[in-house]
Amino acid sequence: MDFKIVAEYFDRIENVSSRLEMTDILAELIAKVPKDEIKKIVYLMQGQIAPAFEGQEIGFGEKLISSAIVKATGFSRKDVDERFSKTGDLGTTAEQLIEGKQQGSLFVTELTVEKVFANLQRMSTRGGEGSQELKKKLLAELFNSASPTEARYIARIPLSNIRLGVGDPTIMDAFAIMIAKQNDKEFEEKKEDDRRKIKIELREQIENAYNVYSDLGEIAEILKEHGMKGLANVSITPGTPIRPTAAERLPSAKEIIEKLGKCAVESKYDGFRVMISKDNDKVKIFSRQSEDITDMFPEIIEAIQTQIKPKKCFIEGEALAYNNETNEYYPFQITIQRKRKYDIEKKAKEYPLKLFLFDVVLVDGKNMMNEPFRNRRKKLESIVTKGDIIELSEMKIIDDPGVLEEFFEEKIGQGLEGIMAKDLDAPYIAGARKFSWIKLKRSYKGTLDDTLDLVIIGYYPGKGKRTQFGLGALLVASYNAKKDRFESIAKVGTGLTEDTLVELESMLSKIVSKARPVRVISEVEPDYWVEPKYVIEVRADEITQSPMHSCCKKEGKGLALRFPRMTRQRGDKLAEQATTNKEVEKMFSIQKRVSMDYRQN
Ligand code: ATP
């Protein structure tokens, strides 16, 4: 397929602001893409060239892209830099300069999706051929054959930021529309309500498949080749991560027992969530973002072979640094030190990890996702042998709020985060936050005592002492999962250490956007908008109603945070895994409820 057609569709998508319209255009594009090229298009839209767990990353620096533009257009570095400082986007810069160049050139060979993809693959970090010079040449080659619109995307793709405003939910919606139209030629003539119902149903099935097989490119290919019936064969597979389940919140032991009745209550450990796939001697560890983080955990890989009996399985747990001398858990700040590329063996000796397993979803080819938790836990207990590294999460069956409260206090006393209560009858609900898991952290006393994971959507350069860091405060947003949008909720200026300021400034300055990014909703204007990419953890005193912020805005009132402060970066979360509007609304209502109880007592 000609890349030009794709670029023209991308251009149309970029120029509409209604998500419905955007989805329709995308559905039209994917209907046109041949089945052997759909994977590539989906990955490119995700800012990737392969599923995240394969580690074939693109995401090069601006310098490389600028050099390639210089090489391809003949403009000087100064010209490129000047244009870039005006446009704020290397894509537009490339587009304008290629346009200038083309007035003088006659020969343009057609670019194909295959060619664009092949060059990007050769440039990629894993399996790529290396040197900066070669990367520049491969990119310049693409610019040489590109039309101005194509050049815009060719520049943005290797930055891993195509700026279409299309996230995974929108891609899945577009597939649902494409299938609906294929299945029923009269689909467009149906009543709005009927069309919506059909779309929702199809989308749900597509998402269910994606939840157990985190490769949207592969799912897309199956849909193109076999339609919805192809999804019946999509199942949990060793080597491919699933999308993790998540926990709801309730404010007290009493409400948890009211909701679940007799339930399993476990310690809530504060470390790395790990999904482990064992396929004989091939062990892989995935993060909650579906990235392959196997190399970070040499001691766990070793222990899997000795402590986990089945040859094939998929298990889940939390890994954290543990002091064997004192039998104490280290705080998260120590565990996180393992997140590094070098000297892992040294860190492993200094702060060895323990792995607390809490779930199993596949054993020797048997998919256990639909088994009730009580059976999965029993299975888990039967497949782990005693050893130094791997243990089961501590668990008690409890049906009494008083006993739950006691267990909770005991865990807090041991330096843990709190507890996780689990519905004994619930299946493993991949990719969703449901009441099958409920978390309880330190007790709420009428103020907000849980943290939120929020997406940075903008920043302000520092004032006074902070000028030197180029960053003084952040504008952050929660995620509106229904609309696939990020809605402003707070400006965060405290909790940022000098090191964090420096690090964040360097990360954020690379993803600055001249205008408000399409997926961002905010009436508060920061000095610099950034693409919604990075997540930070924020603690606040309270959720309040405010006309300023856009989160959950109704009748002119949104939700905002009072006294927000950053507690840490959440590099393990994708923007789409940030706290959702629905969660903020629930936290707000819990806060109101508890605040009333508290006052009454
Ligand atoms: P939090 O910041 O509260 O950890 P989160 O958004 O990171 O929230 P949630 O899904 O809300 O994640 O909470 C579940 C997380 O708690 C899991 O991702 C996992 O990392 C961690 N965890 C610790 N102990 C357990 C346990 N026993 N069972 C399940 N999850 C656990």
Side-chain angles (χ1 to χ4, degrees):
M1 184 176 196
D2 284 344
F3 187 66
K4 196 168 177 183
I5 301 175
V6 179
E8 276 160 9
Y9 270 100
F10 283 177
D11 178 54
R12 280 174 61 194
I13 291 171
E14 205 182 328
N15 284 305
V16 292
S17 55
S18 130
R19 182 166 172 254
L20 284 179
E21 234 182 299
M22 190 182 267
T23 318
D24 281 336
I25 302 172
L26 186 55
E28 206 183 300
L29 166 65
I30 56 187
K32 278 202 178 141
V33 178
K35 58 177 185 286
D36 55 344
E37 286 186 312
I38 190 70
K39 240 184 186 174
K40 296 182 176 125
I41 303 288
V42 168
Y43 293 145
L44 292 183
M45 284 191 295
Q46 290 182 310
Q48 301 166 184
I49 50 166
F53 59 88
E54 283 186 9
Q56 281 192 47
E57 284 173 20
I58 43 176
F60 301 108
E62 283 163 358
K63 230 169 114 196
L64 178 82
I65 322 289
S66 305
S67 309
I69 300 175
V70 169
K71 194 172 163 73
T73 59
F75 282 99
S76 69
R77 180 92 210 186
K78 194 164 154 264
D79 292 334
V80 175
D81 288 350
E82 270 173 18
R83 191 67 63 110
F84 180 34
S85 75
K86 274 197 204 119
T87 60
D89 165 29
L90 271 176
T92 317
T93 305
E95 178 176 20
Q96 292 176 358
L97 295 178
I98 296 272
E99 196 151 29
K101 175 208 156 191
Q102 277 184 351
Q103 285 159 5
S105 94
L106 285 173
F107 300 103
V108 181
T109 48
E110 294 290 323
L111 265 185
T112 59
V113 170
E114 209 180 323
K115 174 69 187 164
V116 172
F117 209 78
N119 279 27
L120 288 169
Q121 250 168 349
R122 287 180 65 190
M123 291 168 68
S124 96
T125 44
R126 186 179 285 186
E129 289 162 44
S131 83
Q132 289 298 101
E133 204 40 50
L134 178 68
K135 284 178 188 158
K136 190 168 83 182
K137 193 173 141 255
L138 288 165
L139 199 56
E141 193 189 343
L142 297 180
F143 282 131
N144 266 329
S145 313
S147 68
T149 314
E150 287 173 287
R152 189 193 321 156
Y153 298 104
I154 287 168
R156 285 181 189 167
I157 291 167
L159 288 166
S160 192
N161 185 2
I162 197 163
R163 300 188 188 218
L164 288 186
V166 167
D168 289 354
T170 310
I171 300 178
M172 287 190 275
D173 277 351
F175 270 98
I177 293 174
M178 181 201 79
I179 299 273
K181 285 186 181 166
Q182 268 174 4
N183 288 354
D184 181 356
K185 298 279 169 276
E186 258 105 67
F187 176 73
E188 300 270 35
E189 274 74 61
K190 285 193 179 326
K191 281 201 218 105
E192 160 83 34
D193 235 25
D194 295 338
R195 277 198 316 235
R196 205 165 37 108
K197 271 193 210 129
I198 297 171
K199 266 192 311 198
I200 291 176
E201 205 176 294
L202 290 168
R203 155 71 198 268
E204 213 172 275
Q205 290 176 46
I206 295 170
E207 186 156 2
N208 286 344
Y210 187 31
N211 283 339
V212 296
Y213 196 91
S214 286
D215 180 348
L216 201 51
E218 182 76 29
I219 301 286
E221 195 173 272
I222 292 170
L223 284 170
K224 286 288 283 191
E225 201 159 350
H226 308 285
M228 294 304 281
K229 63 180 186 314
L231 297 185
N233 299 324
V234 176
S235 170
I236 178 166
T237 314
T240 304
I242 57 171
R243 302 217 296 164
T245 192
E248 281 283 358
R249 299 172 174 83
L250 279 176
S252 66
K254 184 168 156 268
E255 289 197 35
I256 291 179
I257 296 294
E258 271 166 18
K259 181 90 193 171
L260 298 181
K262 189 177 187 174
C263 56
V265 184
E266 302 183 14
S267 304
K268 186 174 194 304
Y269 307 95
D270 194 12
F272 294 114
R273 178 167 186 170
V274 289
M275 265 183 275
I276 302 169
S277 148
K278 178 181 179 194
D279 188 356
N280 291 295
D281 59 349
K282 271 196 257 121
V283 177
K284 281 193 184 286
I285 303 191
F286 301 111
S287 70
R288 64 188 299 152
Q289 284 191 343
S290 300
E291 280 168 350
D292 185 341
I293 47 170
T294 311
D295 294 344
M296 267 168 64
F297 304 105
E299 73 272 52
I300 291 180
I301 300 293
E302 221 179 292
I304 295 287
Q305 293 302 355
T306 53
Q307 283 192 258
I308 301 295
K309 291 187 217 161
K311 288 198 164 57
K312 266 190 195 190
C313 63
F314 222 115
I315 47 185
E316 228 190 344
E318 190 90 354
L320 70 161
Y322 187 77
N323 187 337
N324 281 312
E325 310 283 311
T326 60
N327 277 338
E328 277 170 348
Y329 307 99
Y330 281 115
F332 183 75
Q333 285 71 10
I334 298 281
T335 302
I336 190 80
Q337 292 184 17
R338 183 63 69 93
K339 205 165 184 233
R340 46 173 53 222
K341 287 216 166 83
Y342 311 102
D343 289 338
I344 285 182
E345 294 286 347
K346 198 170 133 218
K347 272 285 161 213
K349 284 214 174 73
E350 199 177 347
Y351 294 116
L353 300 181
K354 248 197 203 316
L355 169 63
F356 294 94
L357 288 177
F358 52 70
D359 222 319
V360 55
V361 284
L362 180 92
V363 178
D364 286 333
K366 182 171 169 10
N367 181 347
M368 306 231 12
M369 289 180 104
N370 290 324
E371 296 276 332
F373 177 66
R374 63 176 85 238
N375 295 2
R376 300 203 306 279
R377 175 77 193 193
K378 219 182 249 161
K379 189 72 184 177
L380 191 62
E381 285 166 6
S382 75
I383 64 172
V384 185
T385 58
K386 273 208 168 344
D388 294 338
I389 307 275
I390 304 176
E391 284 183 26
L392 291 168
S393 58
E394 186 184 0
M395 193 262 290
K396 275 187 173 168
I397 305 287
I398 294 177
D399 61 1
D400 177 85
V403 178
L404 203 162
E405 188 74 43
E406 246 171 61
F407 184 66
F408 172 79
E409 293 298 339
E410 185 189 311
K411 296 302 120 196
I412 295 292
Q414 289 171 3
L416 291 171
E417 259 199 311
I419 58 97
M420 291 285 271
K422 297 182 178 178
D423 182 345
L424 288 162
D425 298 315
Y428 186 95
I429 310 171
R433 193 177 290 278
K434 291 276 161 67
F435 279 100
S436 54
W437 284 13
I438 303 174
K439 59 184 170 186
L440 180 65
K441 298 195 188 168
R442 274 177 298 155
S443 63
Y444 301 74
K445 290 281 182 279
T447 53
L448 181 68
D449 208 0
D450 196 359
T451 52
L452 293 92
D453 297 324
L454 302 170
V455 183
I456 305 175
I457 54 171
Y459 68 96
Y460 305 80
K463 284 202 190 105
K465 196 167 161 258
R466 287 194 178 170
T467 340
Q468 55 178 313
F469 307 114
L471 193 150
L474 303 163
L475 181 65
V476 292
S478 55
Y479 181 50
N480 181 335
K482 215 165 146 206
K483 296 195 172 148
D484 190 20
R485 291 286 176 267
F486 300 93
E487 300 181 355
S488 81
I489 186 170
K491 189 173 157 183
V492 185
T494 43
L496 304 147
T497 63
E498 292 190 357
D499 287 349
T500 315
L501 289 171
V502 172
E503 196 183 339
L504 283 177
E505 198 280 331
S506 131
M507 286 155 61
L508 297 175
S509 58
K510 293 195 182 80
I511 53 165
V512 166
S513 170
K514 194 110 211 217
R516 178 171 54 77
V518 192
R519 289 209 288 165
V520 167
I521 312 287
S522 170
E523 284 164 44
V524 181
E525 285 239 359
D527 290 332
Y528 298 104
W529 292 107
V530 294
E531 292 294 328
K533 178 168 181 179
Y534 297 112
V535 180
I536 59 166
E537 186 183 86
V538 175
R539 185 172 283 285
D541 279 10
E542 223 184 330
I543 299 176
T544 56
Q545 286 187 311
S546 144
M548 268 182 34
H549 286 288
S550 305
C551 168
C552 306
K553 199 159 204 169
K554 275 185 221 114
E555 291 159 12
K557 274 193 205 153
L559 293 178
L561 301 183
R562 208 164 99 92
F563 300 133
R565 50 221 178 253
M566 173 171 166
T567 41
R568 57 167 138 152
Q569 291 188 49
R570 289 292 312 240
D572 61 329
K573 282 198 162 181
L574 295 168
E576 290 81 3
Q577 289 171 327
T579 303
T580 59
N581 283 7
K582 221 165 116 197
E583 286 180 80
V584 179
E585 249 170 356
K586 278 192 193 159
M587 289 164 92
F588 184 54
S589 90
I590 286 177
Q591 181 191 289
K592 275 201 294 203
R593 223 161 48 205
V594 181
S595 160
M596 274 167 58
D597 287 354
Y598 189 56
R599 269 186 239 129
Q600 277 162 12
N601 288 331

